[in-house]
Amino acid sequence: MNAAGFPLLSLVTFLPLAGALIIMSVRGDEEVVARNARWTALWTSLIVFLLSLILWARFDQSSAAFQFEEKLAWLPEFGVGYHMGVDGISVLFVLLSTALTPLCILASWEAIGTRVREYMIAFLVLETMMVGMFAALDFIVFYVFFEAVLIPMFLIIGVWGGPRRVYAAFKFFLYTLLGSVLMLLAILYLWYNAGTTDIPELFAQAVPRSAQTWIFFAFLASFAVKVPMWPVHTWLPDAHVEAPTAGSVILAGVLLKMGAYGFLRFTLPLLPEATATFAPLIFVLSVVAVVYTSLVALAQEDMKKLIAYSSVAHMGIVTIGIFTLNQQGLSGALFTMLAHGVVSGALFLCVGVLYDRVHSREILRYGGVAGIMPAYAMVFMLFTMASVGLPGLANFVGEFLVIVGAWKVNPWVAFGAATGMVLGAGYMLYLYRRVSFGKITRDDLRMLLDLSPREYVVFAPLIVLTLWMGIYPQSFLSFFEVSVAALVQRHEAALGAARLAGM
């Protein structure tokens, strides 16, 4: 129970499982089951989102402490317990997860026509795992949620994906699972050293300098794949291309944030000396990712693959911000993570709108769409400009703060991050021009219908968020600036203590 005596976080986390159980109990012919599954999943996810808004409304932005905490004894003899809570770093990612889930279910309303019950169950289970991962304050509980996310996503790609869905699903699963094995060894060492897996208690104890290096690389092996960082990013384009539209939305919107969240939650506070030592390595890998994947994106002929490579570039900017280890860089990284979750998810939805009508993602297959789908073209243009980093839209503020933070550390790192933004404008404007402008050369494109009422409902909250984050960013920055300041202060204090001990 939390301080108010009501387990709000547990309710937000596990209510989707109740919805999944209801869907499992539905009986009748296939059409009845599919209809009831859709509505049950939608109403469940909407109720979860409304409950998560209580976290947003009642969160104390002036405190860096964990809030809405819940503790239950689980394996007390081993120092393992059920411990949940959120701080300024994690609370908005809980909301991002609960906000995108109902939009994904709505986006799948007509696109998914087979095994609808199982599909909706998979999405509700996935929501539980995502929320639990961001709210877990025990390392073992975190690891369970962190790895369990793979199972429903594996099924979503492997069962409802494209022609190469099995290959993409197994590649996604094996890459992300194998990277996490080393993290499990690091968790076991931390438990053996401290006698507990409670995260706040581990923060209060110093990890021996002799162990920080190998633990850092154990965490890096897991989190780098999840981000994904170069050169372990190759699973992402295949996963995006083969996943159904809603799968791509949740993969880009939430699952790519898991690795960056791991760096923020564990690597920086637990391993301050190793983080400072190996930050230049992360900068090199991140700048290579930003520039290389941006150039690769320029050469793509598939819309989803282009946006997938752009996601790697944007997440490279995030990792640069995280390892600047200053207020501007960390705040910019968190803001960019949120903005990317909204904008990249919306871009995949834009691709899905065309794919549902034409069943092709080839860029050269289109042209002149703006003339027959003007509302769609306006929506697509908004999110294209947001991805480019146009001032007044979501991505600009976060990327600007990252560049400022990187400049304080090394101007060349800031230059690398800025180069990615310039190249991003190139490939995104190329995509928009080829799809929206020009002459219509195919007769089937002349018959395309503009956005449906359901699609307007899906895009509307994403449009509002994109404009809100660009026009009034402080309403988001205020949530995590106190927690970021505390993280920076703790990191600097730990480095200062290490220097004194080394004298």
Side-chain angles (χ1 to χ4, degrees):
M1 294 288 182
N2 59 21
F6 184 75
L8 179 60
L9 262 182
S10 291
L11 187 61
V12 171
T13 302
F14 295 107
L15 186 58
L17 292 184
L21 290 173
I22 293 172
I23 294 174
M24 289 175 65
S25 67
V26 172
R27 294 292 180 266
D29 59 48
E30 186 175 351
E31 184 178 349
V32 171
V33 169
R35 183 174 66 250
N36 290 333
R38 290 187 182 103
W39 282 109
T40 302
L42 179 61
W43 279 111
T44 301
S45 60
L46 286 173
I47 292 169
V48 170
F49 173 64
L50 292 174
L51 287 171
S52 68
L53 289 179
I54 300 174
L55 298 174
W56 173 74
R58 297 187 177 180
F59 186 83
D60 182 4
Q61 300 179 23
S62 64
S63 173
F66 291 107
Q67 302 176 41
F68 303 98
E69 282 192 79
E70 302 169 20
K71 278 188 176 183
L72 286 174
W74 185 20
L75 299 171
E77 63 273 23
F78 296 107
V80 179
Y82 174 79
H83 189 185
M84 304 284 275
V86 290
D87 65 350
I89 292 173
S90 59
V91 64
L92 291 183
F93 293 105
V94 172
L95 264 75
L96 181 66
S97 303
T98 60
L100 287 181
T101 301
L103 299 182
C104 288
I105 291 170
L106 265 180
S108 307
W109 207 261
E110 297 175 0
I112 302 298
T114 59
R115 298 187 178 183
V116 176
R117 169 162 56 187
E118 291 81 0
Y119 180 86
M120 296 301 168
I121 290 172
F123 251 95
L124 291 177
V125 172
L126 180 61
E127 182 177 22
T128 285
M129 301 310 164
M130 292 187 300
V131 174
M133 190 272 302
F134 287 121
L137 291 182
D138 182 277
F139 238 134
I140 297 299
V141 176
F142 168 83
Y143 187 81
V144 169
F145 285 123
F146 189 76
E147 294 305 307
V149 164
L150 302 180
I151 300 171
M153 196 67 217
F154 171 81
L155 294 174
I156 290 169
I157 297 172
V159 176
W160 294 277
R164 299 175 69 244
R165 59 185 179 273
V166 175
Y167 165 77
F170 273 98
K171 189 174 183 181
F172 159 76
F173 191 88
L174 292 175
Y175 260 74
T176 51
L177 179 65
L178 291 175
S180 298
V181 172
L182 290 175
M183 184 176 74
L184 180 59
L185 294 177
I187 292 172
L188 292 174
Y189 172 85
L190 292 171
W191 166 79
Y192 182 80
N193 185 62
T196 182
T197 55
D198 188 79
I199 292 169
E201 291 185 25
L202 288 171
F203 286 170
Q205 302 186 34
V207 178
R209 180 64 183 92
S210 58
Q212 284 195 29
T213 297
W214 78 264
I215 295 176
F216 176 89
F217 282 101
F219 284 168
L220 180 65
S222 177
F223 300 147
V225 174
K226 293 286 200 303
V227 169
M229 296 176 65
W230 181 88
V232 289
H233 66 285
T234 57
W235 63 269
L236 183 65
D238 291 318
H240 270 310
V241 167
E242 299 305 323
T245 298
S248 292
V249 171
I250 213 72
L251 180 60
V254 181
L255 268 61
L256 297 193
K257 312 304 177 286
M258 292 165 54
Y261 175 77
F263 284 132
L264 286 162
R265 175 60 73 220
F266 305 115
T267 303
L268 268 62
L270 286 174
L271 313 170
E273 295 170 77
T275 299
T277 301
F278 296 107
L281 170 64
I282 303 299
F283 290 147
V284 171
L285 295 177
S286 300
V287 170
V288 170
V290 169
V291 177
Y292 168 74
T293 56
S294 296
L295 293 173
V296 173
L298 281 167
Q300 296 309 308
E301 299 176 354
D302 183 293
M303 289 189 283
K304 286 184 79 172
K305 189 167 282 190
L306 186 151
I307 298 170
Y309 278 110
S310 79
S311 292
V312 180
H314 280 103
M315 293 308 294
I317 293 175
V318 168
T319 50
I320 288 173
I322 291 172
F323 283 87
T324 59
L325 306 174
N326 58 44
Q327 182 80 30
Q328 292 85 357
L330 285 164
S331 295
L334 282 161
F335 197 94
T336 302
M337 288 164 68
L338 290 170
H340 178 263
V342 173
V343 174
S344 67
L347 286 171
F348 280 113
L349 286 171
C350 288
V351 175
V353 168
L354 292 179
Y355 185 80
D356 289 344
R357 289 158 171 76
V358 184
H359 300 291
S360 174
R361 294 185 299 266
E362 292 184 21
I363 298 172
L364 298 179
R365 178 72 170 75
Y366 297 92
V369 169
I372 49 179
M373 301 176 66
Y376 168 79
M378 287 293 293
V379 170
F380 191 15
M381 181 182 69
L382 174 73
F383 293 120
T384 299
M385 294 299 104
S387 179
V388 167
L390 188 72
L393 298 176
N395 277 20
F396 172 75
V397 175
E399 292 177 354
F400 178 77
L401 286 172
V402 168
I403 291 173
V404 171
W407 184 270
K408 290 186 172 183
V409 176
N410 188 320
W412 286 108
V413 175
F415 177 77
T419 301
M421 295 176 67
V422 174
L423 293 172
Y427 58 71
M428 289 307 301
L429 292 176
Y430 160 78
L431 171 64
Y432 187 79
R433 180 182 67 84
R434 293 305 299 262
V435 171
S436 299
F437 300 140
K439 294 182 179 180
I440 300 175
T441 58
R442 298 177 185 268
D443 291 336
D444 59 343
L445 295 181
R446 301 180 192 277
M447 306 302 293
L448 293 180
L449 298 176
D450 211 342
L451 295 176
S452 67
R454 175 182 58 83
E455 289 165 338
Y456 276 114
V457 171
V458 172
F459 280 119
L462 298 175
I463 292 171
V464 171
L465 279 171
T466 300
L467 294 171
W468 185 5
M469 295 183 76
I471 296 170
Y472 189 29
Q474 185 58 31
S475 59
F476 295 86
L477 290 168
S478 61
F479 271 88
F480 45 75
E481 61 186 5
V482 175
S483 294
V484 167
L487 178 60
V488 171
Q489 185 178 8
R490 184 189 304 123
H491 181 81
E492 292 176 347
L495 289 181
R499 292 190 192 100
L500 289 174
M503 289 181 176

